[in-house]
Amino acid sequence: MLFRGVRKWPAVFLLLTLTFLFSVNPVIAMTDITGNEIIMEKIDSNNTDTQNYLNLLKEFQNDQINQTRLQPQSLSINPKNTLQLQNLLNIKPNSENPRVVETEPNNSISKADTIHLDDYVFGTITNYYYDLDYYKLTIPQDCTLKTIGIFDGYEKYLAICLLDKNNKILKSSSYISAAEAQYLEYKVSAGTYYLVVLQTVESNYLVGNMYGLVAYSDDISTDIPVTSISVEPSNLTFIEGDEPQNITVTLSPSNATDRYYNWYSSNGTVATIKDNKVIPGKPGTTTITLTPHDGGNCSTKIYVTVNPKGSTIPVEKITLDIEAIYFPEINLSEQIYAEVEPSNATNKSVIWSSDNTDIATVSQDGTVTAVNFGNTIIRAKSVDGNCEAICNVCVYNENEIPNMTPKSNYESGSYKNPIEVELTTDMYANIYYTLDGSDPIENGDIYEELIKINKTTTLKTYAEYDIGESNVISFEYVIQSVKVKSLSITPKTLKLPLNRAEQLEVIATYTNKTKEDVTEECSYSSTDEDVITVDEYGCVESVGKGKCKIWVEYGGKKKSIGVVVR
């Protein structure tokens, strides 16, 4: 029968057989990998998938005859890649074990899945034995490309071909029994290539089995460096003998290759780190510096204080789990929970109170009860009185639509002098606003303090609630002609050592005798940037010895200060 004992035949004879397949249109009878004879479907000369498979298989066999056989001792297979492929082949993909899985159909260059160097790629043989899986790979620089493939114990029946953009085979893989893997190695120039996976024995016994491959190059580093590191909490206070405190170290970006960090304590007798915990020692203070293990140019610090036994640790922060409560009717209740920091504070109890018990009351377990319609504030205060957190409470009638629109203490109009606008709402809300006429929903800043208006301005604002949001409302303010009369710069002169920074402060006095801090609105320049540099916020830095001036400009007024760097 045709193809009987195909694994034992020389490749040349297999080519003759393939030639026969192209010249006739028979029913395929062959021997599968277990030695059993099976009958496959009839070869259809009009079946594009089948013909593409046979064409590529023929090219693969030609390449196998012509290429120099790779010897195990001459290979540089990365055992970590092979091991990782084997591990990933047997587990489900997740955030710790990412996998790239083929997307069918990917049986041609135009339908190829895009992969990258060092991706762990997995797929299956489908459509009987003649499935082709194409993967598009872009190489950023000249290098030696290496590819490892495994096939769940059937590696010798798998083939990986490297193709150029014209679908021409550049190199095919070899089975390396010592590594139990298919391996391909080929010097390539920067550009786009295609890896194609196919089965080399005509049996659907392998259909559905998953294969894995990884393409890599020792000439190209695909490591992703750490660009920033942070830690929470960054301040810790202990009493001698306290239990260690957990810390959370964040390395960015999240896909950085090396996820470890180094640490150094300026006083190791006071505190050290082990297993992401700060371990207190003897009384004193220390600064623990954390840096990325990969040598990235960034760091973060933990400031640690260990107090003697018998000391107290005060509460430094209280956080409530609810920012605001909206009761649609009276006699409803909801409990608020308070989190105290640090977790080892001596007295973590809080005292609850209501600013207006006629609107809402609060018990000492944090349960708030609506008493009447209106607004009030619930407070949670530490026993020592050092810290406080608040929760806004609004009790409204659900049968009446509350007014959600923000209000201003100044109506639209013309004013002789600059004004300070206060925005309020009938119910607690987050208020957003813009001063340039743009949409506050998209571009708004959150309202936190009085808004100073000293020139003609369009103020747009809206409010967000847990139960909805308001419409956008606009206020038009025209400030009658007010000009800058003078600028005052602090300090008036600067004498700096080398490599020192100093922040300027600029106050504008207007013709109506009002004053305003305009530090962040000024334009700055240095007459000699080899001596002094100044940024857009007025921060000055000495970079070389000498003398120069810093010019400040705002509202048509200019003023300078002299600088000496020694």
Side-chain angles (χ1 to χ4, degrees):
M1 301 295 289
L2 190 61
F3 279 91
R4 185 184 299 278
V6 65
R7 288 180 297 157
K8 299 180 182 180
W9 287 7
V12 173
F13 194 78
L14 182 56
L15 280 175
L16 294 174
T17 305
L18 286 171
T19 302
F20 176 72
L21 279 176
F22 284 114
S23 61
V24 295
N25 204 25
V27 173
I28 302 178
M30 67 202 73
T31 303
D32 69 11
I33 59 173
T34 63
N36 298 316
E37 182 180 280
I38 58 174
I39 302 295
M40 294 299 290
E41 65 177 319
K42 187 175 183 180
I43 292 283
D44 182 358
S45 60
N46 296 318
N47 188 319
T48 303
D49 290 344
T50 305
Q51 292 302 317
N52 288 343
Y53 169 81
L54 292 174
N55 287 336
L56 190 59
L57 183 61
K58 183 178 180 180
E59 289 189 50
F60 166 74
Q61 292 294 345
N62 274 326
D63 187 68
Q64 292 286 296
I65 294 171
N66 296 329
Q67 72 170 295
T68 302
R69 308 313 309 148
L70 293 169
Q71 300 301 320
Q73 61 269 24
S74 68
L75 300 178
S76 54
I77 293 180
N78 187 335
K80 291 184 179 179
N81 280 331
T82 305
L83 180 61
Q84 179 72 336
L85 279 170
Q86 292 286 2
N87 290 339
L88 290 174
L89 195 65
N90 297 314
I91 61 176
K92 295 181 178 180
N94 55 55
S95 59
E96 296 298 324
N97 297 287
R99 307 195 299 184
V100 178
V101 180
E102 67 158 333
T103 303
E104 292 281 6
N106 59 342
N107 58 351
S108 65
I109 282 180
S110 63
K111 299 177 182 178
D113 292 327
T114 298
I115 63 171
H116 306 89
L117 289 175
D118 291 337
D119 280 350
Y120 290 98
V121 183
F122 294 87
T124 54
I125 300 297
T126 57
N127 294 338
Y128 296 102
Y129 61 87
Y130 53 79
D131 184 29
L132 297 177
D133 291 338
Y134 277 74
Y135 298 98
K136 181 180 179 180
L137 178 65
T138 299
I139 306 297
Q141 66 186 59
D142 296 358
C143 66
T144 298
L145 177 65
K146 302 175 181 181
T147 304
I148 298 172
I150 62 172
F151 196 21
D152 201 19
Y154 304 117
E155 286 77 15
K156 66 175 63 178
Y157 309 116
L158 183 75
I160 304 171
C161 298
L162 177 66
L163 278 60
D164 62 15
K165 291 188 290 186
N166 298 317
N167 215 29
K168 178 183 177 182
I169 287 185
L170 302 174
K171 187 76 170 180
S172 61
S173 63
S174 299
Y175 174 62
I176 309 302
S177 58
E180 295 184 348
Q182 287 285 335
Y183 182 67
L184 183 154
E185 184 174 309
Y186 189 70
K187 289 186 177 181
V188 296
S189 301
T192 299
Y193 298 87
Y194 295 86
L195 290 171
V196 184
V197 178
L198 68 154
Q199 178 181 322
T200 59
V201 294
E202 294 72 14
S203 169
N204 68 345
Y205 276 44
L206 302 181
V207 171
N209 284 2
M210 180 171 283
Y211 62 80
L213 68 87
V214 58
Y216 63 99
S217 176
D218 298 329
D219 306 328
I220 301 175
S221 174
T222 56
D223 288 351
I224 300 173
V226 174
T227 57
S228 69
I229 180 172
S230 60
V231 63
E232 287 292 339
S234 57
N235 287 276
L236 287 172
T237 303
F238 296 91
I239 295 177
E240 187 179 9
D242 275 354
E243 293 295 317
Q245 291 288 307
N246 290 318
I247 58 172
T248 301
V249 180
T250 303
L251 298 166
S252 297
S254 59
N255 62 339
T257 304
D258 191 336
R259 307 294 299 164
Y260 296 94
Y261 63 88
N262 300 324
W263 62 268
Y264 167 75
S265 176
S266 62
N267 189 341
T269 64
V270 175
T272 57
I273 291 179
K274 184 177 181 180
D275 298 331
N276 287 327
K277 293 181 179 180
V278 174
I279 303 172
K282 296 181 179 180
T285 61
T286 187
T287 300
I288 302 178
T289 302
L290 285 68
T291 57
H293 183 263
D294 69 2
N297 187 26
C298 53
S299 64
T300 188
K301 299 181 186 296
I302 308 173
Y303 301 95
V304 182
T305 299
V306 178
N307 294 318
K309 290 182 178 180
S311 303
T312 59
I313 298 178
V315 174
E316 298 176 0
K317 183 180 180 181
I318 299 174
T319 304
L320 303 182
D321 67 327
I322 302 174
E323 186 182 58
I325 301 175
Y326 297 88
F327 290 118
E329 57 184 84
I330 61 176
N331 297 323
L332 296 179
S333 296
E334 186 164 349
Q335 188 170 10
I336 308 173
Y337 295 93
E339 181 182 357
V340 172
E341 297 179 31
S343 59
N344 61 339
T346 302
N347 189 341
K348 295 192 287 185
S349 299
V350 297
I351 300 172
W352 296 92
S353 64
S354 171
D355 282 7
N356 189 341
T357 55
D358 290 336
I359 302 298
T361 61
V362 60
S363 63
Q364 288 310 303
D365 68 352
T367 300
V368 180
T369 301
V371 176
N372 208 342
F373 300 120
N375 300 300
T376 188
I377 293 176
I378 302 298
R379 302 180 186 273
K381 184 178 292 186
S382 61
V383 173
D384 58 20
N386 290 331
C387 294
E388 182 182 83
I390 65 170
C391 175
N392 291 273
V393 175
C394 176
V395 185
Y396 65 98
N397 188 338
E398 64 180 345
N399 296 318
E400 297 179 6
I401 300 176
N403 184 4
M404 297 184 177
T405 305
K407 300 175 183 177
S408 171
N409 59 332
Y410 284 92
E411 296 295 330
S412 295
S414 179
Y415 297 88
K416 292 183 178 179
N417 297 316
I419 58 177
E420 292 186 339
V421 174
E422 179 183 15
L423 299 176
T424 58
T425 53
D426 289 344
M427 300 171 62
Y428 172 75
N430 287 323
I431 303 174
Y432 297 87
Y433 72 96
T434 60
L435 298 176
D436 59 2
S438 63
D439 185 358
I441 298 176
E442 297 292 333
N443 306 311
D445 295 322
I446 191 165
Y447 174 76
E448 295 177 328
E449 58 186 5
L450 296 176
I451 304 170
K452 295 180 180 180
I453 306 293
N454 55 23
K455 59 184 178 181
T456 298
T457 300
T458 298
L459 185 155
K460 290 190 175 183
T461 180
Y462 91 110
E464 281 187 355
Y465 305 79
D466 283 355
I467 58 174
E469 61 184 36
S470 74
N471 296 322
V472 174
I473 185 171
S474 296
F475 297 93
E476 301 288 342
Y477 298 118
V478 177
I479 307 301
Q480 297 177 7
S481 181
V482 176
K483 296 182 179 180
V484 177
K485 182 178 181 180
S486 63
L487 298 176
S488 173
I489 305 173
T490 304
K492 295 181 179 180
T493 60
L494 275 175
K495 294 181 180 180
L496 297 174
L498 199 59
N499 299 319
R500 179 68 63 84
E502 184 84 18
Q503 176 65 51
L504 301 182
E505 180 185 61
V506 184
I507 302 296
T509 301
Y510 296 93
T511 52
N512 61 1
K513 298 182 181 181
T514 61
K515 296 184 178 182
E516 181 184 15
D517 185 340
V518 294
T519 303
E520 294 188 1
E521 301 176 43
C522 296
S523 297
Y524 300 91
S525 62
S526 169
T527 59
D528 190 344
E529 293 192 345
D530 291 332
V531 177
I532 283 289
T533 61
V534 56
D535 68 14
E536 59 183 315
Y537 303 108
C539 183
V540 176
E541 185 174 358
S542 55
V543 294
K545 294 183 179 180
K547 298 180 180 180
C548 70
K549 289 184 177 182
I550 296 173
W551 281 97
V552 181
E553 184 175 0
Y554 175 76
K557 296 293 182 179
K558 292 182 69 175
K559 191 169 185 177
S560 67
I561 63 170
V563 183
V564 178
V565 180
R566 297 175 180 173

